[in-house]
Amino acid sequence: REGVTQAEAIEQIDIGGPSLVRAAAKNHKFVNIVTDKGQYDRVLSEIKDSGTTSLETRFALASDAFAMTADYDAAISDYFISQSGTAESSVESSDDAFADTISVELKRSAVLRYGENPHQKAAVYEQLGISGPSLVRAKQLNGKELSYNNLLDLDAAYNIAQSYTDPAVSVIKHNNPCGAAVADNIAEATKNAMAGDPLSAFGSVLGFNQQVDEAAAEVLAEPGLFIEAIAAPSFSSAAVEILTTRPKWKANVRLMEMGDGRLSAGDGQLRQIAGALLLQDGDTLADAYDEWQVVTEAQLDESLEGELRFAWQIVRHIKSNAIAICRNRSLVGAGAGQMSRVDSVEISIRKSGDRVQGAVLSSDAFFPFPDSIHAAADAGIAAIIQPGGSRRDDEVIAACNERGIPMVFTGRRHFKH
């Protein structure tokens, strides 16, 4: 709780309660230890039927009891670790940013139909002690149960939309945005996001940073579209009525109401490798626009500043090597996950079509060669934004000067693997 001192927190640590629970669990051969109200029905039913409970039931109850006390001890441990190095504590971590040990409390939320593929088994676990919007705590208003891939894509879609302050919509396929837009209202953002890559958007999942209203639902109910799932803070009653009665996919579309609140910028990201976990800060640090530098002879037209800010924000959400071509604060062409940057450039240009004329291009990392610059210039790109930092920056800048394209260096890379 906010404002609690260490002394007050320590005073609240229960000693006797967990000890009694553990003692009863150890003696489960003769004792029923009930630690959750959801266990009452099983215990009472067996007692009613046979006058006692089975050893199997008592063993299961004991297992749950030990898990509960372990969670309690882990919560205390996490608190002490979080307080290391504070004014009230003389204990210091070996690193100011990362504790020597961490514990992650997980509780199974659901067993999924399958994993990424039908031959893979899967489940989803809720991380305990984490507040804020989460798909495992969201209210499902319609549709089939969420799949493993739905969960991954919805999380990505919602994260992208939440990274903008203006009304924003993102369209995700296979964990990459194929459309995204910000606009003056959520309906316009929806229309522009769906128009980014209409072919790829078929069977997509969407993320909103504002309520899905009636006008936005009307856009999504237009013939020819197919939406798998939508995550949004809320849905108006009119929007729910439209989305669940009019489209051909009305019965199956998953509508996930995430609730109020924004995603925490400070939450760390855990990823598993063989025998270990990687932990890093999320790539959510706000950009310092005043540190951006125009490094070319051609200067940036003020009308393109907003376009470049949008393009720079969206490219961090695309798998590396990532290129985003944007126009009117909308993603019109994405080059994602290519092993060569120029391949991503060429894909994004092809995806953009005629819309590439006068658009801006963002790159999540530096250009190693000037070939991408010439490809962008030939297509009609009006401005480029990238981190800089290549050994061949001079050659890349010279290519921009030769083609008359302004280029901005941000000084910050946005790899996503």
Side-chain angles (χ1 to χ4, degrees):
R1 196 170 72 240
E2 293 289 339
V4 175
T5 66
Q6 284 186 8
E8 291 171 332
I10 291 170
E11 185 63 28
Q12 294 300 315
I13 295 174
D14 189 0
I15 300 300
S19 297
L20 290 172
V21 170
R22 286 171 58 85
K26 179 182 178 180
N27 199 32
H28 66 272
K29 185 176 181 180
F30 307 103
V31 176
N32 291 289
I33 174 63
V34 178
T35 54
D36 187 279
K37 62 183 180 181
Q39 299 166 335
Y40 286 140
D41 288 343
R42 179 178 180 179
V43 172
L44 292 174
S45 177
E46 290 192 19
I47 291 176
K48 181 179 179 181
D49 291 342
S50 60
T52 185
T53 56
S54 67
L55 180 59
E56 179 185 6
T57 293
R58 294 195 297 276
F59 186 89
L61 293 172
S63 177
D64 290 341
F66 282 123
M68 186 196 73
T69 58
D71 288 343
Y72 184 70
D73 287 339
I76 296 171
S77 173
D78 287 345
Y79 173 77
F80 273 80
I81 289 171
S82 72
Q83 296 297 300
S84 296
T86 62
E88 296 179 72
S89 173
S90 60
V91 180
E92 295 185 0
S93 170
S94 61
D95 189 286
D96 290 336
F98 299 101
D100 291 334
T101 60
I102 60 173
S103 60
V104 180
E105 296 180 74
L106 303 172
K107 181 178 182 181
R108 194 179 72 190
S109 176
V111 175
L112 305 176
R113 288 179 295 163
Y114 52 80
E116 279 188 287
N117 300 290
H119 63 274
Q120 295 173 267
K121 295 180 180 180
V124 58
Y125 286 77
E126 179 182 1
Q127 186 173 353
L128 303 181
I130 302 297
S131 59
S134 169
L135 284 166
V136 296
R137 294 188 293 273
K139 181 179 180 182
Q140 184 164 353
L141 305 181
N142 188 69
K144 299 184 295 185
E145 64 182 270
L146 293 174
S147 70
Y148 183 96
N149 292 331
N150 288 155
L151 287 163
L152 287 174
D153 287 343
L154 279 169
D155 187 65
Y158 198 69
N159 270 281
I160 292 173
Q162 285 275 307
S163 70
Y164 292 97
T165 54
D166 289 336
V169 178
S170 67
V171 184
I172 292 287
K173 279 292 285 293
H174 297 294
N175 225 233
N176 274 304
C178 59
V182 299
D184 293 335
N185 60 73
I186 203 69
E188 183 182 359
T190 304
K191 181 178 180 180
N192 293 343
M194 293 300 295
D197 185 351
L199 182 64
S200 298
F202 191 83
S204 57
V205 306
L206 276 59
F208 286 69
N209 70 346
Q210 293 187 5
Q211 181 184 73
V212 179
D213 61 16
E214 181 176 6
E218 290 282 1
V219 173
L220 298 177
E222 292 179 2
L225 301 182
F226 172 41
I227 310 300
E228 282 269 5
I230 303 170
S234 62
F235 296 77
S236 72
S237 57
V240 173
E241 175 70 17
I242 291 169
L243 294 172
T244 59
T245 60
R246 284 174 39 186
K248 291 182 178 179
W249 34 269
K250 58 191 176 186
N252 293 328
V253 63
R254 292 89 161 171
L255 303 181
M256 305 302 297
E257 193 166 72
M258 304 292 286
D260 296 330
R262 298 187 67 84
L263 298 173
S264 172
D267 288 346
Q269 295 179 335
L270 282 169
R271 293 186 69 175
Q272 186 174 5
I273 59 174
L277 290 174
L278 298 173
L279 173 62
Q280 68 169 359
D281 294 334
D283 187 11
T284 54
L285 190 64
D287 287 295
Y289 300 126
D290 58 344
E291 295 179 5
W292 289 7
Q293 293 182 327
V294 179
V295 294
T296 50
E297 295 170 356
Q299 293 301 296
L300 185 67
D301 190 291
E302 288 185 3
S303 64
L304 295 177
E305 289 183 2
E307 297 295 317
L308 286 179
R309 290 186 181 188
F310 173 86
W312 188 240
Q313 179 65 16
I314 193 63
V315 79
R316 73 170 70 191
H317 298 288
I318 302 173
K319 295 290 181 68
S320 301
N321 286 307
I323 297 293
I325 294 179
C326 302
R327 184 170 182 169
N328 297 326
R329 295 194 301 167
S330 302
L331 176 65
V332 297
Q338 299 304 302
M339 285 65 74
S340 128
R341 190 157 299 276
V342 70
D343 284 344
S344 287
V345 170
E346 291 171 353
I347 291 171
S348 63
I349 290 171
R350 176 170 57 82
K351 288 284 188 180
S352 300
D354 294 339
R355 297 170 296 179
V356 71
Q357 292 287 332
V360 302
L361 181 149
S362 58
S363 175
D364 67 332
F366 63 67
F367 292 103
F369 302 101
D371 50 0
S372 294
I373 305 302
H374 292 298
D378 290 343
I381 289 294
I384 294 172
I385 185 167
Q386 59 133 322
S390 168
R391 292 182 179 180
R392 293 185 173 87
D393 274 350
D394 289 344
E395 296 178 32
V396 172
I397 293 170
C400 283
N401 289 337
E402 176 188 339
R403 306 303 293 267
I405 298 177
M407 182 166 63
V408 174
F409 278 7
T410 67
R412 181 181 296 168
R413 191 182 71 185
H414 284 305
F415 270 169
K416 183 179 181 185
H417 288 84

